[in-house]
Amino acid sequence: MKKMMLSLIMLVIILAGCQNSVDGGGVKELRLAHNQPLDHPVHLSLMEFGRLVEEKSNYKIKVKIFANGQLGSEREVIELTQTGAVDIAKVSASALEGFEPDYSIFSLPYVFESYQEFQETMSKKEVTDKVYKQTEDIGFIGLTYYNAGVRNLYTKEKEVTTPADMAGLKVRVQPSQTSVKMIEALGGTPTPMAYGEVYTALQAGVIDAAENNESALVSNNHGEVAKSYMYTEHQIVPDILIMNAERLDKFSADEQAVIYEAAAESTRYHEDVWSKTIEEVKDIAANEMGVRFIEVDKEPFIEAVQPLHEEYMENEKTKDIYQLIKGAEENE
């Protein structure tokens, strides 16, 4: 309770400290929050977003970035964005599931069977408009997405090349019902757990495996204890840049265009930064940590999770977005 009160007091001080500069002296300031460190590809891309906004607006709009979870957890900054205490936030699509069911589509395993398919689908305006604008009535809208990697399975030692190899495997998952059902469908035992606990849980044998993109092997040292990394490519859960809807509406049409253009360009910038980062961490994981990278046949895994796809097709809250995504894929 004391920690929560201190965090709240710090947040009030931070926001109060920058309130005087908001829209002051003819310069409009946007407060942007995210939870990644300063050397993370997402932070670099958000810096690029800020630079582009300032440049394209002739320095009439300034972006002030609060990194490292300085303004709270992802759920907290979503709520702050709803109220307008924060103008813009970068959050995981999985964190948005609790606010809008459409975002749960990204947690559905193999809704995209490759990253190229994901990119092509997300380039379609009918898809992004449906997703991004769905939350306007609750206070925020999406501006763009950032690559947060393709999620794959990694284990302490055991190689998993078919769903049969998942039997009895205790796998850490995000606290998401869809992720829990995914591991169950694949034959494993899901273990929801905070990300910060994964290293010690793998080390102590509390779990046998986890699933994430390659950066987790190096940035969180999981490659020290997990030596087999299988390219199951089961989920593609992007980061989403959201903005307070009322705040955006107060900008002129030209200013809104600047924000949207900067967002789109920062996404393209991020693709290059992310790609280079993944190549670097794979090299470190393989050559300094001894991690084995293993290709697998995805078809048996895709087949195993089809019951989850049927659930999405039948659920009133998710069937529209599911049909839109699958229809967009078929038309590529």
Side-chain angles (χ1 to χ4, degrees), residues 40-258:
H40 193 279
V42 163
H43 178 75
L44 300 179
S45 301
L46 292 172
M47 291 286 288
E48 177 68 2
F49 167 71
R51 185 190 71 78
L52 289 166
V53 167
E54 293 178 21
E55 185 179 273
K56 289 174 180 289
S57 68
N58 292 319
Y59 303 94
K60 293 179 181 177
I61 305 174
K62 179 180 175 59
V63 178
K64 186 176 179 65
I65 299 177
F66 297 89
N68 276 316
Q70 192 178 1
L71 300 187
S73 67
E74 290 204 327
R75 182 174 184 86
E76 287 167 339
V77 297
I78 293 169
E79 291 170 347
L80 290 170
T81 306
Q82 282 183 293
T83 65
V86 164
D87 300 302
I88 304 175
K90 188 291 302 173
V91 295
S92 171
S94 62
L96 290 165
E97 287 184 34
F99 297 82
E100 169 49 52
D102 275 4
Y103 278 102
S104 69
I105 194 71
F106 297 108
S107 294
L108 180 64
Y110 299 110
V111 68
F112 306 105
E113 294 183 16
S114 69
Y115 188 73
Q116 180 180 357
E117 189 175 276
F118 166 79
Q119 280 185 305
E120 289 171 351
T121 301
M122 292 298 284
S123 71
K124 298 182 183 300
K125 198 170 186 297
E126 65 268 27
V127 173
T128 53
D129 276 357
K130 169 74 167 68
V131 177
Y132 293 163
K133 295 181 178 180
Q134 195 79 327
T135 54
E136 187 170 5
D137 62 339
I138 59 170
F140 64 88
I141 63 171
L143 297 177
T144 192
Y145 74 92
Y146 295 118
N147 184 354
V150 180
R151 299 183 77 88
N152 300 289
L153 184 75
Y154 51 98
T155 63
K156 290 184 73 172
E157 290 295 342
K158 182 179 181 180
E159 293 187 10
V160 176
T161 57
T162 71
D165 297 327
M166 296 283 290
L169 208 66
K170 298 182 296 251
V171 186
R172 179 268 173 178
V173 294
Q174 299 177 89
S176 153
Q177 192 57 38
T178 305
S179 294
V180 168
K181 289 182 177 180
M182 172 186 69
I183 296 301
E184 289 175 340
L186 292 174
T189 302
T191 307
M193 180 183 296
Y195 184 54
E197 299 172 13
V198 175
Y199 181 96
T200 53
L202 280 167
Q203 191 177 45
V206 174
I207 56 174
D208 307 303
E211 48 85 44
N212 211 320
N213 67 70
E214 299 96 328
S215 68
L217 297 171
V218 174
S219 62
N220 292 86
N221 298 316
H222 293 180
E224 292 180 355
V225 287
K227 300 303 179 181
S228 296
Y229 189 95
M230 280 67 60
Y231 280 103
T232 49
E233 299 183 340
H234 50 267
Q235 284 176 328
I236 301 174
V237 184
D239 285 330
I240 306 293
L241 193 65
I242 62 172
M243 182 169 183
N244 176 269
E246 186 177 346
R247 178 71 164 142
L248 180 63
D249 193 52
K250 288 180 179 178
F251 285 99
S252 69
D254 287 344
E255 289 171 329
Q256 289 184 30
V258 161

Side-chain angles (χ1 to χ4, degrees), residues 268-298:
R268 292 192 288 272
Y269 172 88
H270 181 74
E271 289 297 333
D272 289 337
V273 175
W274 183 265
S275 178
K276 290 173 184 174
T277 299
I278 292 301
E279 287 305 311
E280 289 171 3
V281 299
K282 283 177 65 176
D283 181 66
I284 294 170
N287 296 314
E288 297 180 23
M289 295 176 159
V291 176
R292 299 179 297 275
F293 291 94
I294 302 157
E295 298 290 338
V296 303
D297 178 7
K298 293 187 294 185

